[in-house]
């Protein structure tokens, strides 16, 4: 993670700059794999959290699979060395071309989100002389206790197949000759730090499994999705999430059938803390309440504060001032929501100072846009810094 003593080595780079600590990434991946190993759990990386080539290559080297939500993510995962038989494909709006790509490349499975989608997959697979492995993505109606924009497992969310359509699928299953129903999939939301939520998910999955079994269905695979949160408030003291506690919770509460394989899809927890967005202060300007520090990074580089009211820890790496002052930190884009933080304490900040915005490795650079015709941020990896 970026520290004050690295400043002299970073100031030669243009900002905004995404810095990735590959050593921290490596340690995080190792911890995750080690924590899953005792239970033989399989981990897929949710590519949408970060699709940088070097990040994907590190993750692939640790033996994880890939969880993709578009055809291009499938292409990228294959290009970075993920084997097709470790790729899963989710999303409520898979296009025909994306489905065909998944079939052509023989990915492990499609996580299906509607009955109509299963119909389309069945038809396309038939026309290609293939058989598709499918999971039903079910909406377990579990409260994730996270921001409403990143809650996905409540009844009102657009994700997952509802109970009526699940029943219809089971009665029609024998007619779907070109799909093989192999598992159940769940993903209830993101940035979940309360393990009670994963306990509740496990208990709900047990009930759902019983129900399927009572209808004579054997479930070969369970995919519990992702969602494990990270510590945004104090990343330096908590650089690696509690993977052991996370997997232990599922081990404790999930009732598995003999031979059943369990899969997870982690995004944020694997890559968030290794990324730091670096930015220079352009102007200090007085506001009604606080001073504004206007910086050269914006919502086009990091959308999370504007989109989810996310709060990232920010530090001034340049200032040696003893005194701290209150600032609102804002970007240059013409939107009132282009604000990274309100009312935060920073060491006295001046034009030209270097600010670090922490925990930006997940859902940061991938959400960049060209709004206001801004240049994209540059990227640097820790082993490239001299
Ligand atoms: C986004 C997503 C994930 C990863 O979520 P994180 O909170 O980043 O772990 C996993 N599965 C599906 C289906 C997703 O859409």
């Amino acid at each position: 993670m970026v520290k004050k003593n690295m400043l002299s080595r970073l100031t030669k780079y243009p900002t905004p700059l995404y810095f990735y600590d590959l050593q921290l990434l490596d340690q995080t991946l190792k911890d995750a794999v080690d924590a899953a190993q005792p239970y033989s759990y399989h981990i897929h990386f949710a590519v949408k959290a970060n699709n940088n080539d070097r990040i994907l290559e590190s993750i692939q080297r640790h033996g994880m699979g890939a969880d993709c939500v578009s055809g291009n993510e499938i292409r990228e995962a294959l290009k970075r060395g993920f084997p097709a038989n470790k790729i899963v494909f989710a999303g409520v709006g898979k296009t025909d071309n994306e489905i065909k790509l998944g079939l052509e490349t023989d990915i492990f499975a499609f996580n299906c989100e509607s009955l109509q989608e299963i119909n389309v997959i069945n038809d396309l697979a038939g026309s290609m002389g293939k058989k598709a492995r499918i999971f039903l993505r079910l909406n377990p109606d579990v409260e994730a206790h996270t921001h409403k924009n990143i809650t996905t497992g409540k009844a009102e969310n657009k994700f997952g197949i509802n109970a009526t359509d699940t029943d219809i699928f089971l009665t029609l299953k024998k007619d779907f000759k070109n799909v093989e129903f192999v598992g159940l999939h769940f993903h209830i939301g993101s940035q979940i730090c309360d393990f009670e939520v994963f306990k509740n998910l496990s208990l709900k999955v047990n009930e759902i499994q019983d129900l399927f079994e009572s209808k004579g269905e054997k479930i070969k695979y369970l995919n519990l999705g992702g969602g494990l949160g990270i510590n945004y408030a104090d990343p330096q003291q908590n650089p690696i999430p509690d993977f052991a506690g996370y997997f232990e919770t599922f081990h404790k509460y999930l009732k598995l059938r003999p031979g059943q394989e369990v899969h997870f899809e982690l995004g944020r927890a694997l890559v968030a803390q290794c990324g730091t967005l670096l930015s220079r202060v352009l102007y200090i300007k007085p506001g009604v309440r606080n001073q504004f520090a206007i910086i050269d990074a914006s919502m086009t580089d990091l959308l999370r504060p504007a989109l989810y009211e996310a709060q990232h820890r920010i530090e001034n790496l340049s200032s040696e001032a003893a005194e701290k002052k209150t600032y609102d930190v804002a970007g240059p884009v013409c939107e009132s929501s282009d604000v990274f933080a309100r009312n935060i304490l920073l060491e006295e900040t001046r034009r030209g100072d270097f600010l670090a915005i922490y925990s930006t490795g997940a859902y940061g650079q991938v959400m960049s846009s060209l709004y206001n015709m801004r240049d994209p941020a540059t990227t640097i990896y820790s082993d490239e810094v001299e």
Side-chain angles (χ1 to χ4, degrees):
M1 220 172 275
V2 172
K3 299 199 181 70
K4 260 198 159 145
N5 62 13
M6 294 168 64
L7 181 68
S8 62
R9 287 181 291 153
L10 292 170
T11 47
K12 59 175 170 290
Y13 298 102
T15 47
L17 172 70
Y18 266 100
F19 171 92
Y20 292 100
D21 181 341
L22 293 178
Q23 215 180 332
L24 175 58
L25 173 64
D26 210 55
Q27 192 56 52
T28 307
L29 296 169
K30 189 174 178 307
D31 276 25
V33 169
D34 287 352
Q37 197 271 331
Y39 318 116
S40 305
Y41 289 164
H42 297 249
I43 306 174
H44 301 262
F45 171 61
V47 173
K48 74 175 190 283
N50 189 310
N51 58 33
N52 289 18
D53 47 4
R54 294 199 60 192
I55 304 270
L56 291 181
E57 283 161 8
S58 294
I59 293 171
Q60 179 271 321
R61 278 198 298 273
H62 283 263
M64 293 183 184
D67 163 35
C68 301
V69 291
S70 71
N72 287 341
E73 284 192 359
I74 294 176
R75 282 193 191 91
E76 189 62 24
L78 289 167
K79 194 165 148 194
R80 297 298 152 208
F82 289 89
N85 66 6
K86 286 190 183 175
I87 294 178
V88 295
F89 183 18
V92 292
K94 301 176 186 79
T95 65
D96 291 19
N97 280 337
E98 290 175 319
I99 292 169
K100 282 186 206 158
L101 175 72
L103 290 165
E104 272 160 19
T105 55
D106 226 357
I107 59 168
F108 170 58
F110 294 82
N111 292 330
C112 299
E113 308 233 9
S114 70
L115 196 55
Q116 197 169 26
E117 178 195 330
I118 296 173
N119 247 312
V120 171
I121 293 176
N122 183 62
D123 288 349
L124 291 173
S127 69
M128 294 166 69
K130 297 247 182 191
K131 192 152 189 171
R133 281 169 298 277
I134 66 161
F135 282 57
L136 301 187
R137 176 170 181 177
L138 302 180
N139 188 329
D141 200 20
V142 170
E143 178 54 65
H145 298 297
T146 185
H147 191 274
K148 65 177 179 355
N149 290 8
I150 49 175
T151 294
T152 56
K154 290 290 288 169
E156 65 266 27
N157 297 128
K158 72 176 175 183
F159 299 99
I161 304 180
N162 64 35
T164 315
D165 281 356
T166 303
D167 284 343
I168 298 174
F169 169 74
L170 291 179
T171 55
L172 295 179
K173 205 181 70 169
K174 59 179 184 321
D175 301 328
F176 290 122
K177 301 252 181 289
N178 313 307
V179 300
E180 185 190 354
F181 167 47
V182 294
L184 300 178
H185 174 247
F186 305 86
H187 173 68
I188 59 170
S190 199
Q191 185 50 18
I192 299 167
C193 296
D194 177 2
F195 285 177
E196 192 76 9
V197 171
F198 297 119
K199 172 186 166 183
N200 293 340
L201 171 61
S202 302
L203 299 178
K204 200 64 183 251
V205 170
N206 293 343
E207 275 176 38
I208 293 172
Q209 276 224 83
D210 289 345
L211 199 70
F212 272 80
E213 241 177 32
S214 73
K215 294 176 181 174
E217 294 294 333
K218 272 193 77 166
I219 310 295
K220 206 156 150 191
Y221 302 97
L222 290 178
N223 183 331
L224 281 306
L228 174 62
I230 61 134
N231 191 321
Y232 282 100
D234 191 3
Q236 279 102 336
Q237 295 305 313
N238 304 277
I240 299 181
D242 180 9
F243 294 110
Y246 172 72
F247 289 124
E248 203 183 302
T249 304
F250 288 99
H251 176 68
K252 193 161 163 199
Y253 295 105
L254 260 187
K255 271 197 326 202
L256 295 184
R257 312 304 196 249
Q260 212 165 38
E261 230 179 63
V262 183
H263 291 231
F264 291 88
E265 302 164 337
L266 293 173
R268 186 190 314 272
L270 298 176
V271 295
Q273 299 292 30
C274 78
T276 306
L277 176 59
L278 295 164
S279 178
R280 282 185 174 85
V281 177
L282 294 172
Y283 302 104
I284 300 295
K285 91 175 210 175
V288 179
R289 188 186 51 185
N290 300 319
Q291 301 203 82
F292 285 104
I294 310 290
I295 66 175
D296 65 1
S298 81
M299 65 194 287
T300 64
D301 307 300
L302 177 68
L303 187 59
R304 299 189 66 259
L307 189 61
Y308 312 127
E309 303 167 309
Q311 297 185 5
H312 289 258
R313 182 159 180 84
I314 302 178
E315 278 178 22
N316 185 331
L317 301 180
S318 311
S319 180
E320 301 291 341
E323 191 197 353
K324 290 203 171 185
K325 288 190 169 173
T326 312
Y327 294 91
D328 287 5
V329 178
V333 161
C334 304
E335 291 291 337
S336 297
S337 59
D338 187 23
V339 172
F340 289 106
R342 292 186 170 84
N343 256 325
I344 60 160
L345 281 173
L346 291 176
E347 288 150 330
E348 181 155 23
T349 298
R350 290 154 306 178
R351 173 174 164 83
D353 282 358
F354 237 66
L355 300 194
I357 307 176
Y358 288 100
S359 319
T360 50
Y363 308 109
Q365 209 169 4
V366 280
M367 287 193 186
S368 298
S369 77
L370 301 175
Y371 186 40
N372 284 203
M373 282 187 88
R374 283 174 52 83
D375 291 323
T378 44
T379 308
I380 189 146
Y381 296 94
S382 47
D383 62 0
E384 297 169 347
V385 177
E386 275 134 34

